Amino acid sequence: MTKIIKIISLTVLSLLLAAELAAAGKFVPANPIMPIKSVKAGMTGYAKTVIKGTEISSFKVKILGVIPKKSKPNAFILIEVLDKKVRANGGIAAGMSGSPVYVDGKIIGAIGYGWGFADHNLGLVTPIEEMMKAADWKDEIPSFKIPKAVDKAEGAENKIVLSGDKAVSRDETVSCDAVASPDVAVSRSGDEIISVDGVISVDEFASRDRVVSCDAAISSDVAVSGDLSADNVEAICGRTEINFEDALESGVIIKKTMPLTVDGISDRYTKSIGADLGTDAVPLGAGGDFGGINLAWKPKPGAAMGAAIIWGDVMAGGIGTLTTVSKDGRFLAFAHPMFNKGAVSYALAEAKIFKIVPSMLNSFKLGTFGSIAGLVTQDRPEAISGYIGKIGAASSYTVKFHNMDNGERAVKRFQTVADPFIGTTVGADALLGVIDMLWAQKGAGTALVTYKVSGGNMNPAWQRKNIFFSSKDVVKSMQKEIKAEGKILAFNHFREISPYGVEVTVEMTKSPRLVYIEKIEIPDEKESYKPGDKLKVNVTFRPWRRRSVVKTFELAVPKDVIGYCEINARGGGIEEPDNEPLLTGIRAISSFKELIRELNAKETNNQIIVEIGGPEKDREKDKDSKDAEKSAMPDEMLEKRFASEIKEEMLENKEIVIADTNYFVEGLVRKFIKVDSGEKNDAIAAMLEAYLSNAAKNSKAGANDSDKENSGEKDDNDDDDDDDDNEDFVILREKRK
């Protein structure tokens, strides 16, 4: 009789608590809950989880006590597994995180932690009341609507309205690809357009004619849901006073979820993703059963599920267990944080378990992701939470790969969380990992890479073409630039680019597509030149192990130069001048248009830069003493023009030639000419005389080399086969103002 009264009392208390939570708009589990104060040592109950496949199984547990804590979560419930079958298969396994535990039919919490190299039949349950706190935070679900672009503050000088503006490109590297108009948004696959505000519910999804595809084409590898590399793991005593934060950091207490499992990229970039997120990443497969989107999934407590930060042809995420759902479609899971990132937009996915693998360190579930079925919106110390049957906007990535040596081609597509910090960081690693996997080798090679960014507030799309070469690791040679390109645009402080899309086209070959700059010559060179004179410059190039080739460029002597000029020819990026105003702080980029212009002004490895310059005449000082004093200020002596503006001016004055080629351009050569400007400068004259004197000593040797070449003699570097000439080394275009 006493037992019946106690059960009735707990039921009434549970109903009253649920009613109070519902009235306050809090998360209310569909199942009745048992408050932590009602949980006592000696109680028996059961837990629910998936042992194999997708079928939910129950196993018996015993409550050993309640462990209070000062930090989040504020308590743990210590349990012991009584079920013989589960004990025989390794006890509480990684991947059981979130498995709900019930006493008298009421949920008390979910399995969250255990111990390594200890009794795996013991575990720590995060109380349901603590887990529910994860759903109290405000969600920040990425919208499919294109955000408003605001580049400058109200009342700012030279205010520019950039909404719909076309970014100015001196070197024409901005493509004319159009993106979605303000009333539409790019789908998750990046290939279709869907018009939608906010998130998509299952009902809206079902009523639409268009399918939101995640473009899955991944391997059948499987994911390991187990912590395989905990450091300094030790068993602990059964005391009830434990510093859980220190224990977690030292590896004593283990979260009963798997480490981040990654599929679809190379091993080394899997490790890079893990390092970026501060966790272990295991390249053991994750997406073998991935099947697009299924917003009609109706999971029950104890179902296997995954939380993914990358999905599609690349998968990265963790597999655990769903704890409970509410009547409004929200859920709780994991019973511990994934990365503890707060408000997030991870993808919720179905999952399938193959087997529980026993281990002395930490038994684990071997599983794989299924279809995307919802959205994880909170990643908190107590649990993860979100919505079943809803999705938010995501960032879309495409890799178009071509192996020029064997003709193989591949296209891979994937999505990441729409977060400018997490998403772009792991997205860049995934891009490189896909290229690395498809290249399938580590060593010398040449890569032609086109990196394009499109999306909301990026009309037109921005793109950059570059060529990379390395004698050791060609994929790594492009790593710095690909990572930087994503961050610069995604992190820009002028406008949000959303939805955000990246397309990388890569052509790779083991052949060194190199061209070396050998020398500069001026046909019919004069003893001296005057400011404004035009001259033709012959630059000799040597493609890798082929006959040299000469290209002619036209320059003009600067009008304000005095004494002499230096003419140099170099590969793009070699001794590239710094953007001085940014380094000195004399000026800052103040609009999105300026940002794009400076990005376009950055030189690329396939460019030939031929330029002329020299010491300039002193500025005439105003006779007015105030103006003279002003001109002597330090900031007046600093360069105020951005790199793009200097190059614009030099192009207009024909003081620089910027030419794109289809080769990686290496080398730098210089030549000096005397300029008669009508003014005498003894110091400059002395420097020039010294240079000319040294040049004269080498003139005879240079003449002999020239005679040998003109007489038809071939040196050791000349190719014997005239048919195999340099027809494939071409100047694609010269930049114009």
Side-chain angles (χ1 to χ4, degrees):
M1 185 68 178
T2 303
K3 186 176 180 180
I4 294 174
I5 293 173
K6 188 180 291 186
I7 292 173
I8 293 173
S9 299
L10 287 173
T11 302
V12 172
L13 181 62
S14 177
L15 291 172
L16 289 173
L17 179 61
E20 182 181 345
L21 291 171
K26 303 288 186 179
F27 184 95
V28 181
N31 304 96
I33 68 174
M34 178 179 288
I36 185 66
K37 63 183 179 181
S38 301
V39 178
K40 307 295 181 185
M43 288 181 167
T44 58
Y46 59 93
K48 288 186 175 182
T49 197
V50 174
I51 305 296
K52 186 176 181 180
T54 58
E55 182 181 351
I56 300 170
S57 303
S58 298
F59 58 92
K60 192 174 181 181
V61 299
K62 181 180 179 179
I63 310 300
L64 300 182
V66 176
I67 305 173
K69 290 173 73 260
K70 293 181 180 179
S71 55
K72 298 179 180 180
N74 294 140
F76 279 141
I77 302 168
L78 182 62
I79 66 168
E80 180 182 8
V81 175
L82 301 181
D83 187 279
K84 292 182 180 180
K85 185 176 180 181
V86 173
R87 291 174 71 96
N89 282 277
I92 296 174
M96 287 187 181
S97 287
S99 298
V101 179
Y102 301 85
V103 172
D104 294 332
K106 300 175 181 61
I107 186 170
I108 66 169
I111 296 170
Y113 302 87
W115 289 272
F117 289 127
D119 187 349
H120 298 325
N121 297 307
L122 299 177
L124 295 171
V125 170
T126 304
I128 188 63
E129 291 164 289
E130 293 296 305
M131 293 181 65
M132 289 161 58
K133 293 177 182 178
D136 289 345
W137 295 84
K138 182 180 179 181
D139 294 328
E140 298 176 11
I141 301 174
S143 172
F144 285 92
K145 294 179 66 176
I146 297 176
K148 183 180 179 181
V150 180
D151 275 24
K152 286 201 172 187
E154 285 289 331
E157 188 177 353
N158 300 323
K159 184 175 180 181
I160 303 173
V161 180
L162 286 171
S163 180
D165 279 3
K166 183 176 181 179
V168 177
S169 169
R170 175 196 56 74
D171 59 8
E172 301 176 342
T173 57
V174 175
S175 77
C176 294
D177 295 347
V179 295
S181 62
D183 58 347
V184 297
V186 181
S187 74
R188 296 175 74 88
S189 68
D191 296 333
E192 303 181 33
I193 302 298
I194 50 179
S195 177
V196 61
D197 297 334
V199 297
I200 301 179
S201 69
V202 62
D203 295 331
E204 293 173 317
F205 182 81
S207 66
R208 297 186 181 277
D209 294 330
R210 298 182 181 183
V211 177
V212 184
S213 168
C214 277
D215 298 308
I218 15 189
S219 72
S220 57
D221 293 335
V222 295
V224 173
S225 56
D227 191 346
L228 303 179
S229 57
D231 296 325
N232 302 320
V233 180
E234 349 173 317
I236 65 170
C237 301
R239 295 179 298 172
T240 57
E241 277 188 66
I242 302 172
N243 186 323
F244 285 93
E245 284 64 41
D246 290 345
L248 279 170
E249 289 180 6
S250 66
V252 172
I253 296 175
I254 298 175
K255 296 175 184 176
K256 285 297 179 177
T257 188
M258 34 68 73
L260 186 72
T261 55
V262 182
D263 191 16
I265 66 174
S266 66
D267 289 1
R268 59 172 165 167
Y269 285 102
T270 293
K271 293 178 182 177
S272 182
I273 288 177
D276 288 336
L277 296 171
T279 188
D280 292 323
V282 182
L284 293 175
D289 284 346
F290 181 75
I293 291 180
N294 176 22
L295 298 184
W297 188 43
K298 300 294 182 183
K300 294 181 180 180
M305 54 146 289
I309 57 171
I310 308 176
W311 56 95
D313 288 342
V314 178
M315 292 292 297
I319 292 176
T321 304
L322 186 135
T323 303
T324 187
V325 295
S326 65
K327 291 182 180 179
D328 61 356
R330 291 190 288 173
F331 71 88
L332 296 174
F334 280 24
H336 58 61
M338 186 171 178
F339 303 115
N340 201 28
K341 294 293 185 181
V344 296
S345 59
Y346 310 150
L348 169 69
E350 301 175 66
K352 182 172 72 174
I353 305 302
F354 294 102
K355 182 178 174 57
I356 293 179
V357 180
S359 169
M360 290 180 63
L361 169 62
N362 188 27
S363 300
F364 56 89
K365 289 184 179 182
L366 193 65
T368 184
F369 285 95
S371 301
I372 300 299
L375 188 67
V376 178
T377 59
Q378 298 294 334
D379 181 4
R380 300 290 176 176
E382 303 88 354
I384 64 171
S385 69
Y387 297 85
I388 298 169
K390 290 186 177 182
I391 58 174
S395 299
S396 177
Y397 292 80
T398 301
V399 177
K400 296 181 178 179
F401 179 86
H402 178 207
N403 186 325
M404 299 169 67
D405 296 333
N406 60 18
E408 289 184 2
R409 296 177 182 270
V411 178
K412 300 291 183 181
R413 296 184 176 90
F414 61 90
Q415 287 75 43
T416 71
V417 292
D419 182 300
F421 304 104
I422 301 175
T424 52
T425 299
V426 300
D429 280 325
L431 286 172
L432 290 161
V434 168
I435 296 168
D436 200 29
M437 178 191 69
L438 295 173
W439 182 231
Q441 55 192 297
K442 181 180 177 182
T446 308
L448 171 61
V449 179
T450 302
Y451 187 101
K452 183 167 72 174
V453 177
S454 61
N457 292 321
M458 278 295 291
N459 189 4
W462 177 82
Q463 75 173 22
R464 175 177 169 87
K465 292 184 178 181
N466 207 348
I467 292 180
F468 300 91
F469 170 79
S470 174
S471 60
K472 297 179 179 179
D473 190 341
V474 64
V475 175
K476 192 173 182 180
S477 72
M478 66 180 81
Q479 175 177 301
K480 183 177 180 180
E481 179 158 311
I482 286 181
K483 288 191 173 185
E485 285 168 334
K487 290 181 179 179
I488 288 172
L489 289 172
F491 292 4
N492 87 84
H493 52 281
F494 301 108
R495 56 171 65 175
E496 181 182 358
I497 303 172
S498 179
Y500 182 82
V502 175
E503 180 180 291
V504 178
T505 303
V506 186
E507 295 182 354
M508 300 185 71
T509 175
K510 290 190 71 174
S511 300
R513 293 183 65 85
L514 298 175
V515 63
Y516 296 89
I517 302 175
E518 290 189 340
K519 60 183 175 181
I520 294 177
E521 294 177 304
I522 301 175
D524 302 321
E525 183 176 355
K526 297 188 295 185
E527 183 177 346
S528 66
Y529 294 83
K530 292 183 177 181
D533 281 355
K534 292 181 172 59
L535 66 158
K536 291 184 178 181
V537 177
N538 290 341
V539 181
T540 302
F541 299 92
R542 172 81 61 176
W544 174 259
R545 294 179 178 172
R546 294 189 180 184
R547 294 175 62 85
S548 60
V549 61
V550 177
K551 301 289 183 182
T552 302
F553 305 93
E554 186 174 292
L555 297 171
V557 178
K559 294 181 180 179
D560 56 356
V561 77
I562 180 172
Y564 72 93
C565 274
E566 174 190 333
I567 302 170
N568 72 58
R570 58 185 175 84
I574 298 174
E575 291 194 7
E576 180 178 6
D578 293 324
N579 217 326
E580 288 188 36
L582 300 179
L583 296 177
T584 60
I586 203 71
R587 185 180 171 193
I589 293 174
S590 57
S591 72
F592 191 73
K593 180 180 284 187
E594 283 186 352
L595 174 63
I596 293 296
R597 190 166 61 231
E598 296 314 305
L599 286 176
N600 291 336
K602 286 292 294 179
E603 297 171 3
T604 56
N605 300 324
N606 63 314
Q607 287 180 334
I608 298 168
I609 312 294
V610 184
E611 55 193 338
I612 185 171
E616 299 177 357
K617 297 178 183 178
D618 293 333
R619 290 193 302 268
E620 292 187 20
K621 296 184 178 179
D622 199 292
K623 295 180 180 180
D624 187 281
S625 60
K626 291 184 179 179
D627 289 341
E629 182 180 347
K630 181 180 178 182
S631 66
M633 293 294 289
D635 63 336
E636 290 295 315
M637 295 182 285
L638 297 175
E639 178 61 68
K640 296 182 177 63
R641 296 170 300 169
F642 285 139
S644 64
E645 295 164 339
I646 293 173
K647 287 183 178 179
E648 284 276 2
E649 187 176 316
M650 292 181 71
L651 283 166
E652 184 175 6
N653 296 333
K654 296 186 180 298
E655 297 167 8
I656 190 172
V657 174
I658 304 174
D660 290 340
T661 76
N662 57 341
Y663 268 55
F664 185 100
V665 183
E666 187 66 88
L668 181 152
V669 293
R670 291 185 171 94
K671 182 177 180 62
F672 291 85
I673 59 171
K674 186 183 291 187
V675 177
D676 182 7
S677 58
E679 295 188 17
K680 186 176 181 181
N681 187 306
D682 294 337
I684 292 176
M687 291 171 58
L688 183 60
E689 287 299 328
Y691 166 75
L692 293 176
S693 176
N694 289 331
K697 293 178 182 179
N698 299 320
S699 61
K700 186 176 181 180
N704 290 338
D705 289 342
S706 178
D707 291 341
K708 182 181 69 171
E709 185 171 330
N710 294 332
S711 67
E713 295 179 27
K714 296 182 180 180
D715 59 28
D716 292 338
N717 290 324
D718 285 335
D719 197 326
D720 292 332
D721 186 357
D722 289 341
D723 293 333
D724 185 19
D725 215 286
N726 305 294
E727 297 301 324
D728 58 342
F729 169 62
V730 295
I731 292 179
L732 302 176
R733 59 178 177 173
E734 289 188 17
K735 303 294 186 294
R736 296 286 184 266
K737 177 171 163 44

